[in-house]
Amino acid sequence: GAVVSQHPSWVICKSGTSVKIECRSLDFQATTMFWYRQFPKQSLMLMATSNEGSKATYEQGVEKDKFLINHASLTLSTLTVTSAHPEDSSFYICSARDWGNTEAFFGQGTRLTVV
Amino acid sequence: GIQVEQSPPDLILQEGANSTLRCNFSDSVNNLQWFHQNPWGQLINLFYIPSGTKQNGRLSATTVATERYSLLYISSSQTTDSGVYFCAVELDFNKFYFGSGTKLNVKP
């Protein structure tokens, strides 16, 4: 299957700082990438959908000014958590699919801890 | 919105046992996938199965789209099968909805 790489795998940051998470499709071009958030012992919740070269579409209740998404190329999407607070601590997972493929592939996730 | 229900929520097996996990969904879907989330959080694609039956080694899956459910079979379970199993359905293009998962613990 296709490979989606996410970096970093884990990050600890101070409250008030910003953190950038990268999601790369390694062997295919991802016209669409998705960002999910997972709280401990819970399921994945879709945060936003990003399409290459256009603005991301955010799900209801997700603050777009706090969670900045950029999909500047067909192989890279970034999620920036701005002015992070402890309540932003969570597991963030990206997924991607290419134009001709209906199957979505997931990155290994990033565990964010804000102290 | 669409409801995706997985059962059982928790499952404890002895190594070597077989199990069936179920995913029910409340609306017609375009896509259904099964995933295994390992203890480190990584999501691993198991099956892309909007309908029909597929098998991959000790795992197999069946989706009956007309009756809105999917089953994941695990045979001869191993300790490495432990983790959380999610099904996810796609209603509208690019909108995936995840079930709450089945947490599997396979004991040696």
Side-chain angles (χ1 to χ4, degrees):
Chain A
V3 179
V4 176
S5 177
Q6 201 171 328
H7 178 80
S9 298
W10 59 271
V11 59
I12 302 173
C13 71
K14 290 186 177 180
S15 188
T17 62
S18 295
V19 174
K20 180 183 286 188
I21 303 169
E22 293 186 347
C23 179
R24 295 182 184 271
S25 57
L26 297 186
D27 50 1
F28 66 101
Q29 292 186 327
T31 53
T32 306
M33 288 186 171
F34 310 88
W35 289 96
Y36 294 83
R37 183 173 181 176
Q38 185 180 31
F39 290 103
K41 298 185 179 182
Q42 293 189 26
S43 189
L44 282 73
M45 298 297 295
L46 180 65
M47 298 174 65
T49 302
S50 71
N51 294 295
E52 185 266 338
S54 63
K55 290 184 178 180
T57 302
Y58 290 82
E59 294 300 298
Q60 192 172 8
V62 178
E63 298 176 62
K64 59 182 178 182
D65 293 332
K66 172 170 243 340
F67 299 101
L68 299 180
I69 292 172
N70 184 281
H71 192 160
S73 77
L74 286 172
T75 59
L76 174 64
S77 176
T78 60
L79 168 67
T80 301
V81 183
T82 63
S83 187
H85 291 284
E87 57 265 30
D88 298 324
S89 298
S90 192
F91 194 60
Y92 293 88
I93 304 176
C94 72
S95 76
R97 71 194 326 176
D98 66 23
W99 180 250
N101 197 338
T102 54
E103 186 173 357
F105 298 93
F106 284 74
Q108 67 268 45
T110 297
R111 190 167 302 283
L112 169 64
T113 302
V114 184
V115 298
Chain B
I2 188 170
Q3 302 298 315
V4 183
E5 297 179 352
Q6 289 186 243
S7 60
D10 295 279
L11 184 59
I12 300 174
L13 296 176
Q14 206 63 40
E15 198 170 26
N18 304 326
S19 64
T20 301
L21 282 58
R22 187 178 181 100
C23 174
N24 292 333
F25 42 97
S26 61
D27 206 340
S28 298
V29 298
N30 299 320
N31 180 11
L32 187 146
Q33 292 184 227
W34 281 96
F35 301 92
H36 176 215
Q37 188 170 39
N38 64 25
W40 297 272
Q42 186 175 5
L43 272 175
I44 300 167
N45 285 37
L46 296 178
F47 293 101
Y48 162 67
I49 187 165
S51 64
T53 297
K54 289 185 177 179
Q55 181 161 5
N56 184 5
R58 296 182 295 105
L59 302 181
S60 64
T62 295
T63 297
V64 184
T66 54
E67 297 187 21
R68 299 179 185 171
Y69 73 88
S70 183
L71 302 174
L72 177 69
Y73 305 95
I74 303 174
S75 64
S76 303
S77 58
Q78 300 176 359
T79 56
T80 52
D81 295 332
S82 296
V84 182
Y85 290 80
F86 289 104
C87 72
V89 300
E90 185 180 20
L91 180 59
D92 300 319
F93 187 67
N94 282 341
K95 277 191 175 288
F96 281 87
Y97 298 87
F98 279 75
S100 53
T102 292
K103 184 177 181 180
L104 174 64
N105 184 6
V106 180
K107 298 194 170 185

